[in-house]
Amino acid sequence: MNQDKLSKYKLTGSVHTFQIKIPDTLPPIPDYLTEAVKTHKTSDGKDTIAIINLNKMGGDIFSFTGFQEKMEYLKNILKFDFFNFQRSDFRMDNYESDHYARFAKLNRYLISLMAVQYEVKNAYRTENLFTQQQVSVSARNRDFQIENYDRAAKSRNTENHNEPAQARLEERTMAQEWRTLYAKASPKESSMDIFRRDFTENWFERWRKSITKDNINSVMERYNYELERIYRNDKNVHPVRFRSLTDFLIAYQDSIFSKAQLINLLSRFPEEVKNPKTRAEHHKKKYGIEYFSQADIKKAVAEIKRATLEFFDK
């Protein structure tokens, strides 16, 4: 990857939405908090589930200290003390209008690496029906979710004129994982202690395990298996899907992340490609496909970690 471009991969971290369970009944939510707090009772009527976005209580919060202070304020207003997290979303935003498109392929690669590490079955990308532009890539299981989405496009769709973020990479810890976190926690740890530890230790460990050479090879194999299948199934169909192997490679370039992957893919078509290495080098020179080294991936993850610690250390 172009190193000047990679140096512009900058993120700002903060807590997005989270869900808690409160073993009590809350008073009515004041009108000035209805945008920030949504509640409902559990099916047995004993507990309250609250979905909260503290950023809607006076503006975005960019420090863990500020997050905790705002949470204490909310607890005082709604008269509750004890709670357990059931879901927590940590967002990493960029405010440049071209960031999502410029780094969509890089983020897709990062999410693909995590998907293969954790054998995630629910992994997908979405696009706008009319423009056919990608708007999100996500991998989800019962423990966690990781998603990169076009925040500007979402703001346009929801007519949100106050959201400054243009692109978002979001880590989400789900209910099943929160039950595990509480079960393994020290009796001295508060919910906020566990919250911090989850995003600064557990998520860091997920990234560490995901960006190994083995997973890079697994991602290559997974994509190339599907790309070979698509090409062989569609190359002779009518109406025509693509006129040549070159057309196909250009159309699917966002699923090819390295020179080694392209060489491997080309080697699967010996009836068309005599020398995969030479063909791959010619394709790169003529059409400019973007590649990522393991060092590039490590730098991107280092920025994710930096943005996380910047929030939690303040």
Side-chain angles (χ1 to χ4, degrees):
M1 185 179 189
N2 179 280
Q3 294 303 295
D4 181 62
K5 176 180 176 180
L6 182 56
S7 71
K8 295 177 173 61
Y9 184 77
K10 297 297 184 184
L11 303 170
T12 299
S14 60
V15 178
H16 189 200
T17 303
F18 59 94
Q19 180 173 305
I20 60 175
K21 183 177 181 180
I22 304 163
D24 205 348
T25 298
L26 299 184
I29 306 299
D31 289 344
Y32 65 91
L33 290 180
T34 55
E35 286 297 310
V37 182
K38 310 292 184 185
T39 64
H40 64 270
K41 299 293 289 185
T42 54
S43 58
D44 61 11
K46 295 180 180 179
D47 303 314
T48 300
I49 304 299
I51 301 171
I52 302 168
N53 185 340
L54 295 179
N55 300 293
K56 294 183 177 181
M57 293 169 54
D60 288 339
I61 305 167
F62 294 111
S63 71
F64 191 51
T65 299
F67 175 77
Q68 293 180 95
E69 290 172 351
K70 194 63 70 70
M71 189 62 182
E72 287 301 313
Y73 171 80
L74 183 67
K75 288 164 64 178
N76 289 333
I77 293 297
L78 298 184
K79 297 179 174 54
F80 72 93
D81 185 31
F82 183 81
F83 68 90
N84 276 349
F85 284 104
Q86 292 191 315
R87 170 175 167 157
S88 49
D89 302 354
F90 188 77
R91 64 189 188 185
M92 288 164 281
D93 291 343
N94 185 278
Y95 304 95
E96 299 294 328
S97 60
D98 64 345
H99 181 93
Y100 183 77
R102 292 188 75 200
F103 295 103
K105 184 175 180 179
L106 173 60
N107 284 318
R108 178 176 181 166
Y109 195 19
L110 292 172
I111 292 171
S112 298
L113 288 163
M114 190 169 287
V116 298
Q117 166 63 30
Y118 291 96
E119 301 180 353
V120 176
K121 294 182 174 60
N122 186 17
Y124 60 86
R125 63 183 293 271
T126 63
E127 62 182 36
N128 180 280
L129 178 64
F130 297 105
T131 68
Q132 299 179 59
Q133 295 295 308
Q134 176 183 294
V135 292
S136 72
V137 172
S138 183
R140 304 177 177 217
N141 63 20
R142 296 179 67 184
D143 292 326
F144 70 85
Q145 298 179 2
I146 178 75
E147 182 173 14
N148 174 231
Y149 62 97
D150 187 337
R151 179 62 252 197
K154 184 174 181 179
S155 295
R156 289 191 296 271
N157 291 340
T158 58
E159 298 184 355
N160 182 345
H161 306 297
N162 299 316
E163 174 57 66
Q166 300 294 295
R168 179 166 291 167
L169 179 66
E170 189 157 286
E171 300 168 339
R172 304 177 186 129
T173 300
M174 308 306 288
Q176 178 168 281
E177 179 68 2
W178 266 110
R179 288 193 290 271
T180 301
L181 289 169
Y182 279 117
K184 293 182 177 180
S186 161
K188 296 181 179 180
E189 284 187 299
S190 68
S191 284
M192 285 297 184
D193 293 332
I194 303 169
F195 188 99
R196 181 204 295 265
R197 180 165 55 79
D198 180 44
F199 285 107
T200 61
E201 295 181 21
N202 294 351
W203 272 97
F204 284 12
E205 182 66 4
R206 284 193 184 102
W207 286 116
R208 186 192 68 78
K209 289 181 176 179
S210 297
I211 61 174
T212 64
K213 185 63 176 177
D214 284 346
N215 282 331
I216 288 172
N217 290 334
S218 294
V219 167
M220 177 181 74
E221 178 59 33
R222 180 67 182 274
Y223 273 105
N224 280 1
Y225 174 84
E226 299 297 343
L227 290 170
E228 179 185 4
R229 179 186 59 79
I230 294 167
Y231 182 67
R232 292 195 180 281
N233 287 346
D234 291 354
K235 68 178 181 177
N236 294 317
V237 298
H238 192 83
V240 176
R241 305 289 294 181
F242 33 80
R243 297 170 299 172
S244 65
L245 179 57
T246 297
D247 275 359
F248 175 79
L249 295 176
I250 293 171
Y252 286 91
Q253 62 183 294
D254 288 343
S255 297
I256 301 170
F257 303 102
S258 68
K259 179 181 178 180
Q261 183 187 346
L262 181 54
I263 292 172
N264 178 276
L265 178 62
L266 291 168
S267 71
R268 296 169 185 241
F269 310 115
E271 69 278 13
E272 294 189 52
V273 181
K274 293 183 179 180
N275 190 320
K277 182 175 182 292
T278 300
R279 178 71 177 270
E281 291 172 347
H282 173 75
H283 187 86
K284 168 66 174 175
K285 183 177 180 180
K286 187 169 184 179
Y287 301 107
I289 186 171
E290 185 174 44
Y291 293 148
F292 307 100
S293 67
Q294 187 176 24
D296 295 335
I297 297 306
K298 288 181 177 180
K299 287 179 182 178
V301 170
E303 174 58 16
I304 291 170
K305 293 180 178 179
R306 186 207 62 78
T308 303
L309 292 175
E310 182 180 52
F311 175 83
F312 282 99
D313 287 348
K314 290 194 295 186

